[in-house]
Amino acid sequence: MKRIFGVVAIAGVLLLVSGKPAEKSQGAVASDYLIQAVLWYQSSPEMQALYLQGFNMAKMNLASFVKDRKDKPQAVVVDIDETMLDNSPLQGRLIHTGKSFKPEIWKEWSDLAKAKAVPGAVDFTKFAKSLGVTVIFISNRDTSEMSNTLKNLNDAGFEFASKENMFFKTNESSKDARRKQVSEKYDIVMLIGDNLSDFNTVFDTRDGSTEYARLNELKNQFGYRYIVLPNPTYGDWEKPITKGCKSELEKYNARVAKVVGF
């Protein structure tokens, strides 16, 4: 036992000295990195509290915004995934199978139309309706997913779940053109999402540095007209970290290398 412990300890010291991440097989790294994030998302009361906090803040602000109505009707633009619907069972599937994300796995999940509403989301849409404010769904789901998504949203009890209130991805991931299309009819008073590109086109490009300057320029909007909800499992924030990686193992090593220690 002492000898085994000594070998492990030496390996640990070598890792600290070299600064290199531990070697892992291709299969082991495909989804293992998701475990803690998905556990937190599915099991922690803090996750629910953050969503409730975000939607409570949104309701308070919206009640203030309706007092200053303009010529156009007011609207709140919301994302869908991890903003209105919880897709963590998909991430759980990846963990249990050891597979990496692929469009066909997403389609299998999306076709089920069984994602649950995140805490506070349905109630927010009902509150908006009571104030005469329309909720518009702008999502990067593919237009082919419209019918199943509508079923999912309606089954979950969301208000405003209809084709005329949903703008899905066609040619580009950027939501800027779709937000402009909505603004032709509505005064967009608030945006709710889990990714910074859900709020402003300046966040469509990520390089790991300039987005922080843009964030600082818009800091007064967060918690006011921009409501950010938690998503520790995926997002544009990771693109600069794994840029250029060609395999899951390379992505794993890039993630570990980015972590700051002391």
Side-chain angles (χ1 to χ4, degrees):
M1 178 65 74
K2 289 183 179 179
R3 184 175 180 181
I4 293 173
F5 177 79
V7 172
V8 173
I10 291 171
V13 170
L14 290 174
L15 172 60
L16 289 173
V17 172
S18 67
K20 295 180 180 179
E23 292 295 327
K24 296 194 83 176
S25 69
Q26 185 76 18
V29 302
S31 57
D32 278 7
Y33 75 99
L34 286 170
I35 294 175
Q36 189 74 358
V38 174
L39 273 175
W40 179 86
Y41 198 86
Q42 294 182 342
S43 303
S44 74
E46 286 80 3
M47 172 273 195
Q48 295 193 23
L50 282 171
Y51 273 99
L52 293 173
Q53 175 178 267
F55 282 115
N56 283 341
M57 188 177 298
K59 287 194 285 188
M60 286 188 292
N61 292 348
L62 191 60
S64 175
F65 295 152
V66 296
K67 297 175 183 177
D68 184 30
R69 293 189 188 272
K70 298 186 171 116
D71 295 335
K72 295 179 183 178
Q74 293 177 322
V76 176
V77 168
V78 301
D79 177 46
I80 292 180
D81 299 311
E82 280 53 69
T83 298
M84 297 283 122
L85 294 177
D86 171 3
N87 298 293
S88 63
L90 168 67
Q91 314 297 333
R93 168 80 173 272
L94 299 180
I95 291 169
H96 288 303
T97 60
K99 295 180 179 179
S100 55
F101 178 87
K102 286 187 171 50
E104 53 267 30
I105 299 177
W106 166 260
K107 187 176 186 306
E108 183 181 348
W109 163 249
S110 177
D111 284 350
L112 292 175
K114 290 185 177 180
K116 294 181 179 179
V118 300
V122 171
D123 185 58
F124 175 78
T125 64
K126 294 181 183 301
F127 180 78
K129 184 177 182 179
S130 74
L131 296 179
V133 179
T134 301
V135 175
I136 301 292
F137 301 85
I138 298 184
S139 170
N140 274 346
R141 290 189 175 207
D142 190 80
T143 53
S144 63
E145 300 176 73
M146 181 74 73
S147 295
N148 287 331
T149 304
L150 275 173
K151 181 181 185 307
N152 199 159
L153 291 170
N154 280 305
D155 287 350
F158 284 95
E159 301 288 347
F160 303 105
S162 61
K163 286 188 177 181
E164 60 265 31
N165 292 329
M166 301 176 74
F167 294 78
F168 282 19
K169 183 174 72 173
T170 52
N171 299 321
E172 58 182 10
S173 296
S174 174
K175 296 181 176 180
D176 188 49
R178 283 170 280 168
R179 285 192 292 262
K180 288 178 179 175
Q181 186 179 348
V182 172
S183 66
E184 292 175 2
K185 180 178 179 180
Y186 294 98
D187 175 22
I188 300 175
V189 295
M190 183 185 297
L191 300 103
I192 305 177
D194 65 300
N195 198 67
L196 290 181
S197 60
D198 293 330
F199 305 98
N200 196 303
T201 188
V202 300
F203 297 113
D204 285 349
T205 302
R206 301 290 189 94
D207 59 16
S209 59
T210 56
E211 54 262 48
Y212 292 98
R214 298 166 188 153
L215 187 65
N216 189 59
E217 292 170 0
L218 294 166
K219 62 182 179 182
N220 292 331
Q221 296 299 320
F222 293 96
Y224 181 53
R225 295 191 184 275
Y226 297 170
I227 304 296
V228 186
L229 299 174
N231 177 7
T233 57
Y234 65 89
D236 288 344
W237 60 270
E238 195 176 18
K239 287 181 179 179
I241 299 171
T242 57
K243 183 178 181 180
C245 294
K246 294 182 174 58
S247 68
E248 293 297 333
L249 186 58
E250 287 181 2
K251 289 179 182 178
Y252 169 82
N253 289 333
R255 293 182 184 113
V256 174
K258 184 65 175 179
V259 175
V260 177
F262 70 93

